[in-house]
């Protein structure tokens, strides 16, 4: 990409290729006949996120109660840092009455993460993406995570 058109290279593409390289290297070192199990990956991410949250003195019991309601996909596709950041935010504020919006610049990924926690309603995702479009923001990836009523 960089050799054919330097203007197309950016920090986001750099981070994707770096992630591909690193994960491929780990897979090759582990051996292609010995892939990492999904449960093992999730356990490692949760342990690291718990370590980060403990350093911030977040209640481990509250973390457990919140995480019980989250999907396997959430832990598979989120980094330990993202999990800790979002967990701490949700536990520190109530999203039941009004939306909570957090923004975090991610220099390693060349972008900005926007975390929105809000009560469910019809068309919420469409409303959110329309607002981001009005602000002339580009969405590279989006994930939706829901949890049962009564969870933090």
């Amino acid at each position: 990409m960089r050799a054919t058109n330097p203007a197309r290279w950016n920090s986001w593409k750099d981070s994707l290729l770096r992630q591909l390289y690193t994960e491929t290297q780990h897979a090759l070192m582990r051996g292609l006949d010995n892939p990492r199990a999904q449960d093992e990956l999730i356990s490692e991410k949760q342990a690291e996120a718990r370590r980060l949250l403990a350093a911030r003195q977040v209640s481990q019991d509250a973390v457990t109660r919140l995480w019980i309601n989250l999907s396997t996909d959430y832990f598979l596709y989120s980094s330990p840092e993202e999990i800790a950041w979002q967990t701490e935010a949700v536990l520190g504020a109530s999203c039941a009455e009004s939306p909570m919006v957090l923004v975090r610049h991610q220099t390693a990924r060349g972008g900005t993460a926007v975390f929105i926690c809000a009560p469910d309603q019809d068309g919420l995702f469409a409303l959110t993406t329309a607002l981001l479009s009005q602000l002339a923001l580009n969405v590279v990836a989006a994930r939706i995570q829901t949890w049962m009523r009564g969870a933090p």
Side-chain angles (χ1 to χ4, degrees):
M1 287 181 279
R2 194 172 193 172
T4 59
N5 186 348
R8 293 205 179 267
W9 188 256
N10 58 38
S11 58
W12 176 69
K13 290 177 183 175
D14 180 68
S15 74
L16 290 178
L17 286 175
R18 186 178 306 112
Q19 181 180 5
L20 175 63
Y21 173 82
T22 303
E23 290 182 17
T24 302
Q25 183 181 36
H26 288 155
L28 292 172
M29 288 172 58
R30 188 177 180 91
L32 296 178
D33 57 335
N34 189 22
R36 184 161 38 171
Q38 177 176 299
D39 291 344
E40 180 184 350
L41 177 60
I42 290 172
S43 292
E44 288 174 11
K45 286 183 177 187
Q46 287 180 338
E48 177 60 14
R50 282 187 183 277
R51 188 189 66 72
L52 294 169
L53 290 163
R56 296 180 190 136
Q57 297 166 350
V58 175
S59 164
Q60 294 299 303
D61 290 338
V63 169
T64 300
R65 285 192 303 275
L66 175 64
W67 287 2
I68 285 171
N69 296 295
L70 299 176
S71 71
T72 301
D73 285 348
Y74 174 76
F75 294 104
L76 281 175
Y77 299 113
S78 300
S79 70
E81 294 79 15
E82 289 173 317
I83 295 167
W85 172 53
Q86 294 168 1
T87 298
E88 184 175 20
V90 170
L91 292 175
S94 173
C95 306
E97 298 299 322
S98 60
M100 172 179 59
V101 179
L102 302 174
V103 177
R104 183 171 85 166
H105 186 63
Q106 295 184 308
T107 54
R109 296 194 93 173
T112 302
V114 178
F115 175 68
I116 301 169
C117 180
D120 192 19
Q121 65 182 43
D122 289 340
L124 180 60
F125 186 72
L127 178 65
T128 302
T129 55
L131 176 61
L132 294 174
S133 178
Q134 287 176 0
L135 295 171
L137 298 174
N138 295 322
V139 177
V140 176
R143 289 190 305 259
I144 298 172
Q145 174 63 53
T146 60
W147 60 73
M148 299 181 305
R149 290 187 193 280

